[in-house]
Amino acid sequence: MKACAIRALALDGVAGANSGHSGMPIGMADVATVLFENHLKFDAADPDWPDRDRFILSAGHGSMLLYALLHLTGVEDISLDQIKNFRQWGARTAGHPEYGHAKGIETTTGPLGQGIANAVGFALAEEILRARFGKKVVDHHTYVIAGDGCLMEGVSQEAIGLAGRQELSKLIVLWDDNNITIDGTVDIADRTDQLARFKASGWSVHECDGHDPVDIDEAITAAKKTGKPALVACKTHIALGTAAQDTPKGHGALTDPKVVADAKAAWGIDWAAYEVPVDIKAQWEEIGSRGAEERDEWSTRLAGLSGAKQREFERMQAGEAPKKLSAAIKAMKRDYAETRPKMATRSASEKTLNVINPLMPENVGGSADLTGSNNTKSSDMGVHLPESRDGHYLHYGIREHGMAAAMNGLALHGGLRAYGGTFMCFADYARGAMRLSALMGVPVTYVMTHDSIGLGEDGPTHQPVEHLAMLRATPNMTVIRPADATETAEAWEIAATATGTPTVLALSRQGLPTVRTEFKTKNMVAQGAYVLAEAEGKRQAILLATGSEVSVALAARDLLQAEGIGTRVVSMPSWELFAEQDESYRRRVLPAGPVRVAVEAGVQMGWDSWLTSERGKANKAGFVGMEGFGASAPADVLFEKFGITAQAVADKVKSLL
């Protein structure tokens, strides 16, 4: 009857909200019951303790399964009122589970496949932290319930391929094998042999009757012993016991009053809606309290670590940056002000990582098969593999989407910070998981190199022009495009200390001159925009630029000043950070009156926020940049042919005076 309690609450919640996608809670109730009762290391009084087992729904439409489990086991955040208010304004019980809404929700998994890919990051985090702190402090499993749709999404193959190579033996996927999607039976769209697919990817595979508790338990027990990531195919029936059983209607028909009544009758449920018999609720609460003893034993083991190890563990879990970080960044900036190097910002990023990674053992880096191009591996980093679990660098392979989703999992696990690199143009491939980084407020860092037509001969397939606009349009995402080595160091300081926002570092392939020639202790990039060069004489123009085009703006200023046109140059590495500044500061940087011209090797979309808003005027605003895609040619030729030059900027200013 414990499984029936899940079914009843899930059914009542779904029916009460008059919403569809109700099939998974019904089909996987028995599997979830066995998992929680016999296998899951879970404490309802403290569902987020560091060494708990992770329980993830890869398919967000199983939301009521998770909510019912959390309520039944006694998690305070999910009260009966929350169940009743499923999908309603202000409720913690959103239509798809959302990270941060309630304890016990490990990640946001509305889009299918994200959860299984996140889970790879969770399992990697467990391996990395166990290697550092020992099995006495870090030793837990990651369990995922996934549906047919999750396994169809392409990101699932990226995830399982990575997990198989890494031999993530504490990752177990429980597949809701019901052969139904919204449009019909699976065979209308797919004929993949999933067991063969997972086995070919290096997983152990197991099967069970998803409604037989003994069979389920035996399959999970076997899966935990294999030394490989494991798939357990749980053969289930969607909308079990109803007229919609084994049909696509099972996804949404369970809001019909007759179907609800028939279902309850078939399950032997004779209690009222939103009620669970006292004895059954007590059994579930006992399941939820079992982990308290393990939680206390773990605290004792943690206390047994040396004082330094304890402090390090607690700092990493809290997401606090080491105290030495700020001084290290300042030392780099002082050196750059003296030596004034010309280097690509991707190279400057690598130099910064060589300084900060030894200070931050929580950093886990990686690249989607572009390590030598993204410059994401610092000299102190070993490669993480089954034979070298203490390595903090991951070769993700050509898996941008899987990489981004795994980084979300690494960060959500707690105790680690994740960054990963690819070409900026391939943000398109990573976009689904990047959006969820922002939605969840996960502070992962995306190292996006080759950030403009400046990458040159590889041509328009690799030259991002619209990507800055796309990423800037994403709420709660900090995009930073540094102009030189100094700004790059400051950008990394921001990324390394972020707490609720992902960061995109847009970095150049081509060498850039030092534009910050004066040492300042203050992190100027943290202000989003600042005056880099002031006008001489009456200020008639303000040039705004980012990244590689800041040096173009400075050269244009020289041309304009030579003609007696007082010109200020504003370096604007991050729109988001500038928008967060007080209006008084923004007014000082962008005062009313002068002509404003922005220069950036991307499309104009979004620039009007700074050209014609913030006291600007449309008839005194201009843009020098891209209007279409790039071309294949050396970088200097491209900038000349597309008119992103100092002379073009100067001419634009004069046309507006």
Side-chain angles (χ1 to χ4, degrees), residues 261-432:
D262 291 346
K264 287 189 174 183
W267 302 332
I269 294 173
D270 58 2
W271 57 83
Y274 299 110
E275 288 186 11
V276 177
V278 173
D279 60 328
I280 297 176
K281 183 66 164 70
Q283 292 173 35
W284 270 110
E285 289 179 352
E286 195 272 331
I287 291 172
S289 66
R290 286 179 193 167
E293 183 177 348
E294 286 184 283
R295 171 71 170 84
D296 292 341
E297 291 172 353
W298 173 83
S299 297
T300 301
R301 294 194 299 273
L302 178 64
L305 295 180
S306 68
K309 276 286 187 183
Q310 282 187 62
R311 288 190 294 273
E312 182 182 64
F313 184 87
E314 289 165 358
R315 180 190 66 78
M316 289 168 60
Q317 288 293 324
E320 297 173 355
K323 295 178 180 178
K324 294 181 180 180
L325 177 63
S326 178
I329 296 296
K330 288 184 178 67
M332 293 190 74
K333 296 196 301 181
R334 187 184 298 277
D335 177 68
Y336 291 145
E338 293 172 357
T339 60
R340 301 185 182 184
K342 179 179 181 180
M343 69 173 76
T345 51
R346 62 169 177 160
S347 300
S349 172
E350 181 181 23
K351 287 183 176 294
T352 308
L353 289 172
N354 279 325
V355 169
I356 67 175
N357 277 346
L359 301 176
M360 301 184 71
E362 60 267 41
N363 280 357
V364 178
S367 171
D369 199 53
L370 292 167
T371 297
S373 295
N374 300 147
N375 299 68
T376 40
K377 186 177 183 296
S378 58
S379 56
D380 67 302
M381 275 186 159
V383 174
H384 184 87
L385 286 169
E387 57 270 22
S388 53
R389 291 298 191 192
D390 57 343
H392 279 229
Y393 192 81
L394 290 160
H395 288 296
Y396 286 103
I398 304 90
R399 301 182 177 110
E400 292 87 358
H401 195 179
M403 176 182 73
M407 287 197 296
N408 283 341
L410 280 161
L412 288 165
H413 178 280
L416 297 174
R417 302 186 72 95
Y419 70 85
T422 187
F423 290 162
M424 188 169 173
C425 202
F426 302 151
D428 289 335
Y429 284 8
R431 169 67 179 162

Side-chain angles (χ1 to χ4, degrees), residues 580-593:
E580 291 174 2
Q581 306 306 305
D582 293 338
E583 184 181 355
S584 59
Y585 176 75
R586 300 201 310 271
R587 187 186 301 274
R588 291 197 302 274
V589 175
L590 296 178

Side-chain angles (χ1 to χ4, degrees), residues 117-132 138 140-142 158-159 162-171 364-365 383-386 388-396 402-403 405-411 413-414 416 418:
N118 290 165
V120 175
F122 277 99
L124 281 166
E126 193 273 345
E127 294 282 5
I128 292 168
L129 289 169
R130 178 151 43 91
R132 186 166 192 86
V138 183
H140 54 264
H141 284 81
T142 299
E158 296 185 28
L162 179 60
R165 174 63 188 95
Q166 289 290 345
E167 298 177 16
L168 300 179
S169 61
K170 291 186 175 292
L171 173 61
V364 178
V383 174
H384 184 87
L385 286 169
S388 53
R389 291 298 191 192
D390 57 343
H392 279 229
Y393 192 81
L394 290 160
H395 288 296
Y396 286 103
M403 176 182 73
M407 287 197 296
N408 283 341
L410 280 161
H413 178 280
L416 297 174

Side-chain angles (χ1 to χ4, degrees), residues 396 437 466:
Y396 286 103
S437 300
E466 76 276 29

Side-chain angles (χ1 to χ4, degrees), residues 589-619:
V589 175
L590 296 178
V595 163
R596 296 182 190 179
V597 172
V599 52
E600 186 173 70
V603 297
Q604 183 175 349
M605 182 176 288
W607 270 107
D608 285 347
S609 296
W610 312 112
L611 294 173
T612 62
S613 299
E614 291 283 325
R615 296 159 298 281
K617 294 184 177 180
N619 63 345

Side-chain angles (χ1 to χ4, degrees), residues 18 36 72-73 99 120 182 192 249 255 284 293 359 398 401 405 411 488 498 570 608 623 643:
N18 193 29
F36 269 68
L72 289 167
T73 52
Y99 172 75
V120 175
I182 292 174
T192 302
K249 291 182 179 180
T255 58
W284 270 110
E293 183 177 348
L359 301 176
I398 304 90
H401 195 179
T488 304
V570 172
D608 285 347
F623 177 77

